[in-house]
Amino acid sequence: MNSLFKKPGRGDMTNEEWGLVRNKLQKAVGQNNYTNWIEPLEFADLKNGVATFLVPTNFMGNWVDRNFGDKILHQMVGEGLKVSRLDFEVPSRTATAKPASTVDGSDSASDHAKSTKTDQGDLPGAPLYDRFTFDNFVVGKPNELAHAAARRVAEGGPVTFNPLFLYGGVGLGKTHLMHAIAHEMTTRNPDLRVVYLSAEQFMYRFVQALREKQMMDFKQLFRSVDVLMVDDVQFIAGKDSTQEEFFHTFNALVDQNKQIIISGDRAPGEIKDLEDRIKSRLQCGLVVDLHPTDYELRLGVLQNKLNAYREQYNGLVIADGVLEFIAHRISTNVRVLEGALMRLFAFASLVGREVTLELAQDCLGDILRASDRKVTVEEIQRKVSEHYNIRLSDLIGPKRVRTIARPRQIAMYLAKHMTSRSLPEIGRRFGGRDHTTVMHGVKRIDELKSADDQIAEDLELLRRALEA
């Protein structure tokens, strides 16, 4: 079999040989991508330089072609096969094809029947990650409301929050909760038509339907689902035609009392170039913020990961204080945190050493340095001036009108909590003010943030922008 591959320019390929190519692709694209996108492909033919594969849906074929086509070609050519182009075809309804993962992540024949083109249309959703479940979600104060809302929606029953809009920065758990909701819903009710996809995928399906003159199929497809979940909705901002179709799809589903769950990187009203009517619709339901992680939540995430790694890294010893050190030093997001622990364990396993504080400092040096980025008082002043649309010269100048004095106090508060500067140093950077003025400003904002939701939200937005 291997000797056949060594013959350059062969124009045919067997299923066994495609299996060898798939093994190499598994290493090239990673296990998740392989399971979701490569494994469901069924090799059909190689003729005149064109390799044909059968796929469950047109969407899957287009997605594989766009995202993995070059890698597939590279591996095939590298094995001496004479192939210059890939073609993906959906078999006829009477044909038998290997089932692909459906929106609930399973591969059974019954699930495949729900995802191929039947009288209801094929489900257009993206695959779900098995590890993104409620059981694997670490709950803490910054995300407890979002978690509770997601749980409530996932239980099904009468639609209470429509839409449920989850927003927050990168790596705070939005996508995890979206996948967890879909997993829970389809477990409770396997017949429920739950579709999860990114806003980019929604747009891609829309553009594809326009190009192939299949808009009626597109409309029927998306408006026949029971639950629509769209991740990273900010992606469609500024794309007028896609926004138009999204708006009408949204209205049609709400009119049918179907559940909609949306996520974004910021609150609906703050997404630039998103149409006002869509912002208004998104704000009609429950809008929940996933706040940046605190120390307790980060430590909980690390401990949860440690338990998951114990079997994989059997016998690996971790010294006291290492998890606490990482939780203190890496505060960007959960994704970076989990990646740091994985790297540390892999390194320690390869070199056969105990996971100590010294090893963590050496192994994670670049991540720790990136997390230690220093925010300056001047950066804070610029961001606050931009946020409140006032001149920087007024912010640090002598004017004491409320529209300037309050942003100035907010800037002082942020400088006190986000820099290592002393109160006298901060005062000097605010037009030579006395340290007692800074102290009064910090104290005033501390009092107001508990009573004034707008100030609390402004502080959070500014802090995120400065840490980005």
Side-chain angles (χ1 to χ4, degrees), residues 99-263:
S101 297
T102 64
V103 71
D104 65 357
S106 60
D107 285 329
S108 69
S110 61
D111 290 326
H112 178 53
K114 289 189 290 184
S115 69
T116 50
K117 286 196 173 182
T118 64
D119 56 338
Q120 293 180 310
D122 62 313
L123 287 174
L128 301 171
Y129 290 131
D130 291 339
R131 60 193 175 89
F132 283 174
T133 65
F134 283 120
D135 289 341
N136 293 331
F137 189 81
V138 180
V139 184
K141 190 172 181 182
N143 61 27
E144 61 183 351
L145 177 57
H147 175 262
R151 275 280 196 188
R152 176 69 178 276
V153 169
E155 289 169 0
V159 176
T160 308
F161 315 127
N162 212 13
L164 171 62
F165 189 94
L166 304 170
Y167 77 95
V170 174
L172 298 183
K174 302 184 302 296
T175 299
H176 190 141
L177 284 178
M178 297 275 280
H179 284 234
I181 292 171
H183 279 306
E184 185 73 14
M185 283 183 154
T186 51
T187 298
R188 287 171 176 264
N189 185 355
D191 295 325
L192 206 63
R193 292 176 60 84
V194 180
V195 170
Y196 163 85
L197 76 171
S198 68
E200 180 184 14
Q201 290 166 332
F202 180 88
M203 186 187 76
Y204 183 71
R205 288 297 299 247
F206 172 68
V207 171
Q208 181 187 17
L210 279 177
R211 187 173 60 245
E212 297 177 1
K213 297 181 173 57
Q214 295 179 343
M215 278 308 299
M216 290 305 296
D217 291 342
F218 175 90
K219 292 176 187 290
Q220 184 180 4
L221 190 65
F222 276 95
R223 297 175 196 189
S224 66
V225 303
D226 297 309
V227 182
L228 177 63
M229 311 177 75
V230 180
D231 210 351
D232 289 323
V233 75
Q234 72 276 358
F235 186 85
I236 67 170
K239 298 172 176 65
D240 295 342
S241 298
T242 304
Q243 288 193 76
E244 175 87 15
E245 187 54 41
F246 179 78
F247 178 74
H248 292 308
T249 298
F250 188 107
N251 285 344
L253 291 174
V254 168
D255 289 344
Q256 298 174 63
N257 204 32
K258 301 295 181 64
Q259 180 70 60
I260 300 174
I261 303 151
I262 310 288
S263 82

Side-chain angles (χ1 to χ4, degrees), residues 236-358:
I236 67 170
K239 298 172 176 65
D240 295 342
S241 298
T242 304
Q243 288 193 76
E244 175 87 15
E245 187 54 41
F246 179 78
F247 178 74
H248 292 308
T249 298
F250 188 107
N251 285 344
L253 291 174
V254 168
D255 289 344
Q256 298 174 63
N257 204 32
K258 301 295 181 64
Q259 180 70 60
I260 300 174
I261 303 151
I262 310 288
S263 82
D265 64 350
R266 64 201 73 185
E270 294 160 6
I271 300 177
K272 187 181 178 183
D273 297 329
L274 191 67
E275 290 181 6
D276 288 340
R277 59 181 179 169
I278 294 180
K279 290 180 182 179
S280 177
R281 279 294 193 179
L282 295 177
Q283 290 169 326
C284 285
L286 179 64
V287 178
V288 185
D289 185 7
L290 283 89
H291 296 287
T293 58
D294 58 16
Y295 168 74
E296 288 76 14
L297 178 57
R298 292 195 296 273
L299 185 58
V301 168
L302 290 172
Q303 289 169 337
N304 190 54
K305 271 292 173 186
L306 176 62
N307 292 333
Y309 286 156
R310 285 197 188 280
E311 184 175 342
Q312 182 179 353
Y313 297 101
N314 186 33
L316 199 64
V317 178
I318 182 165
D320 291 341
V322 172
L323 294 187
E324 290 79 2
F325 168 77
I326 297 173
H328 269 301
R329 291 289 302 276
I330 301 176
S331 58
T332 44
N333 63 61
V334 171
R335 210 169 292 164
V336 174
L337 199 65
E338 291 180 340
L341 190 64
M342 183 183 294
R343 182 204 289 188
L344 181 59
F345 273 35
F347 181 77
S349 177
L350 287 170
V351 299
R353 290 172 58 186
E354 178 184 351
V355 179
T356 63
L357 196 56
E358 182 182 7

Side-chain angles (χ1 to χ4, degrees), residues 397-446:
K399 290 185 179 179
R400 300 183 64 181
V401 294
R402 185 183 180 85
T403 53
I404 293 173
R406 188 68 76 224
R408 183 185 295 135
Q409 289 177 329
I410 285 174
M412 290 177 174
Y413 176 91
L414 290 169
K416 167 69 170 61
H417 287 89
M418 297 188 71
T419 76
S420 58
R421 300 293 178 184
S422 65
L423 294 180
E425 286 177 304
I426 294 172
R428 283 196 292 272
R429 284 169 168 75
F430 280 85
R433 286 175 165 80
D434 188 79
H435 77 280
T436 56
T437 304
V438 179
M439 193 183 304
H440 170 75
V442 171
K443 183 180 178 183
R444 183 65 181 137
I445 297 302
D446 247 329

